[in-house]
Amino acid sequence: MPRLKYASILRVFVIVGLLCLWVQIMLSASGVGMDKDGDEFTVQDIINTTNSEQYLQEELMNSNDTSEQVLALVPPELHKYLTVHPRNNSANATDRTSPKNITDIRKAIQMYNEAQTIYNEDIFGPVQNDTIIIAIQVHTRLTYLRHLIVSLAQAKDIDRTLLVFSHDYYDEEINNLVRSIDFTKVMQIFYPYSIQTHPNEFPGIDPFDCPRDAKLEQAIKLKCNNALHPDLHGHYREAKYTQTKHHWWWKANRIFNQLQCTHGHTGMVVFLEEDHYVAEDFIHMLNLLRTTADRTCPQCEILCLGTYLKTYQYHSNTDKRKKQLNLNYIQQVRAANEERRKRLQETQWNYQVYPNIYSAVQKVEITPWHSSMHNMGMVFNKTVWNDIMALQEQFCAYDDYNWDYSLLHLSQNRPGREKFKVILCKGPRVFHIGECGIHHKKSNCNASTVISKVQKLLQNAKQYMFPTRITATISAGGAKHNKKLTKGNGGWGDIRDQELCANMTKVGRQMKKYFYYS
Ligand SMILES: *[C@@H]1O[C@H](CO)[C@@H](O)[C@H](O)[C@H]1NC(C)=O
Ligand SMILES: *[C@@H]1O[C@H](CO)[C@@H](O)[C@H](O)[C@H]1NC(C)=O
Ligand SMILES: *[C@@H]1O[C@H](CO)[C@@H](O)[C@H](O)[C@H]1NC(C)=O
Ligand SMILES: *[C@@H]1O[C@H](CO)[C@@H](O)[C@H](O)[C@H]1NC(C)=O
Ligand SMILES: *[C@@H]1O[C@H](CO)[C@@H](O)[C@H](O)[C@H]1NC(C)=O
Ligand SMILES: *[C@@H]1O[C@H](CO)[C@@H](O)[C@H](O)[C@H]1NC(C)=O
Ligand SMILES: *[C@@H]1O[C@H](CO)[C@@H](O)[C@H](O)[C@H]1NC(C)=O
Ligand SMILES: *[C@@H]1O[C@H](CO)[C@@H](O)[C@H](O)[C@H]1NC(C)=O
Ligand SMILES: *[C@@H]1O[C@H](CO)[C@@H](O)[C@H](O)[C@H]1NC(C)=O
């Protein structure tokens, strides 16, 4: 009898304990700010969320928070690229500098794309077949772009390159900054299918598109545009997620196949993004990688200047979206907490380990190309682009909204040929400085903090820059990196996206049109 009583008391304790645990989990969940479960949505809810997120994303990031510490390490003649000019609100709306409406922006974009103007060509000479082209994908993060430009300005031999800025957001402040570059040739190209210029229609957000989280039956009942084409996870397209892949693809097509100045170009094309930062010897390193590849690895299609020591954060959004699909609520909360903990940890050590990687004998590695490891400071030429173009369907029809995973899928499905191989330098020459801005608004992680870390790191590594020789190791890559992709991350199920992607490859080379300004 007493034994039984004891057992029931124990049972009460256990139940109370579990209850406490549950309350705690609920409390920590509310701090994380989880997405609402897909089942409890109303259409209006989702549309409102999408729009407000859109607004946040489209806001031009152009703050004046470059710290004295950072400025101290930037040569004075380059401070001009970091100077934020306040918008002139006192000027009248009819002023020439007033913001343009969408009709005007579309016109301007078309005009600039047709003109194909190369700034500073008169000073630095015409584009040659072997000129290194540096393609920079730009959205709205102007603060980071300023620092990228400062880093490019300090790179040796930058005056022999062509910088191609590819924009998916038209803004006079961005344009003025880009056109103020005076250290090499510059060209601007404008992605013509942006959300900015298509706010209420595909490829932007059409009001009659299905909400992301609608179920198939609901969508069919709603008769929304793309009801029959959810992605492999059952979600409908989100314009802002598809834009990056479209823009990447359009830019590559534009540069290799459509510009007049690249007709006959056989040189290297370097792919950068607005929040990257380069080392002063990156062009030297590029040439060294090229000659090493020619000698020891002629089949290395891709060169890579940046390497992550760990694949962190870059795809955290993707992974979150994917991972949490099949988890119940408590598992989701745990996953979110775990991710937050990891993120904090990684930003702390992230840049501190790099200096050990630079050593007197510079190491390069030859390994199968992998999207998330080798997507930063990637380099290839027209020959390789032609190989990619031959399999464009693998890129355009693959249900994944990440350009790099789509390219990996293509790489793994080359009939009769091996995966792309990459030759990369283990001491990175390209850094990702933009990690902070998006995910760490609330913590004390700002652009200046990261840039200052990279600056110091490059100063410490100065004696190892401009190596005269390098040693190559050949690696088969880890099991994880050789694993064949089975299915994509989704977000690219809409046939309109696949069709637009395919359409971009059908445009031929276009001669420059000359404009006469009155
Ligand atoms: C969504 O926006 C509409 C129109 O702007 C507004 O009437 C409605 O109250 C909003 N709904 C929510 C849940 O915020
Ligand atoms: C930007 O910051 C600098 C110093 O921190 C200051 O001198 C300058 O006036 C600021 N510019 C604007 C537009 O706020
Ligand atoms: C702002 O606009 C007014 C009127 O056009 C002009 O007088 C003034 O110089 C402008 N200020 C700046 C900082 O450009
Ligand atoms: C703006 O325009 C009005 C007339 O439309 C004029 O009176 C005013 O002086 C102008 N302001 C500036 C700053 O140019
Ligand atoms: C856009 O602005 C221009 C003048 O800058 C004007 O002529 C045109 O009508 C405007 N278009 C729309 C759709 O508002
Ligand atoms: C560049 O390539 C084109 C096409 O192959 C060729 O006609 C042209 O002569 C080359 N230009 C130079 C400077 O080598
Ligand atoms: C382009 O790159 C490939 C692969 O690295 C190489 O084999 C080829 O020689 C390069 N083409 C030119 C014209 O340099
Ligand atoms: C960013 O960090 C720097 C250095 O850590 C600090 O001086 C500056 O005040 C910070 N700026 C903001 C806006 O938090
Ligand atoms: C692709 O091109 C075809 C033919 O020009 C056109 O009918 C179709 O609307 C285009 N699709 C998209 C999504 O742009």
Side-chain angles (χ1 to χ4, degrees), residues 12-13 39 83 87 96-97 122 129 261 291 310 316 321 361 365 379 414 417 448 453 474:
V12 169
F13 267 110
D39 287 331
T83 309
R87 280 184 197 271
R96 280 173 53 166
T97 55
D122 49 339
N129 287 350
C261 70
T291 48
K310 221 172 156 192
S316 59
R321 190 179 149 119
V361 180
E365 186 182 344
V379 184
R414 304 206 300 158
R417 299 184 64 176
S448 279
K453 274 188 186 167
I474 297 177

Side-chain angles (χ1 to χ4, degrees), residues 65 67 69 446 448-449:
D65 63 359
S67 68
Q69 212 180 359
N446 63 35
S448 279
T449 316

Side-chain angles (χ1 to χ4, degrees), residues 202 496 499-500 503:
F202 179 85
R496 292 172 301 175
E499 201 178 88
L500 176 61
N503 277 5

Side-chain angles (χ1 to χ4, degrees), residues 127-130 262-266:
V127 177
Q128 308 282 341
N129 287 350
D130 63 351
T262 58
H263 170 80
H265 187 259
T266 51

Side-chain angles (χ1 to χ4, degrees), residues 262-312:
T262 58
H263 170 80
H265 187 259
T266 51
M268 296 183 272
V269 177
V270 183
F271 289 85
L272 296 179
E273 289 169 30
E274 63 188 351
D275 58 351
H276 289 169
Y277 191 97
V278 299
E280 58 177 328
D281 71 342
F282 87 98
I283 295 169
H284 171 88
M285 209 58 200
L286 200 57
N287 289 322
L288 208 52
L289 284 175
R290 180 75 265 162
T291 48
T292 309
D294 287 345
R295 261 203 323 271
T296 63
C297 179
Q299 78 280 16
C300 281
E301 289 93 349
I302 297 174
L303 319 184
C304 182
L305 291 164
T307 168
Y308 299 95
L309 295 179
K310 221 172 156 192
T311 51
Y312 66 99

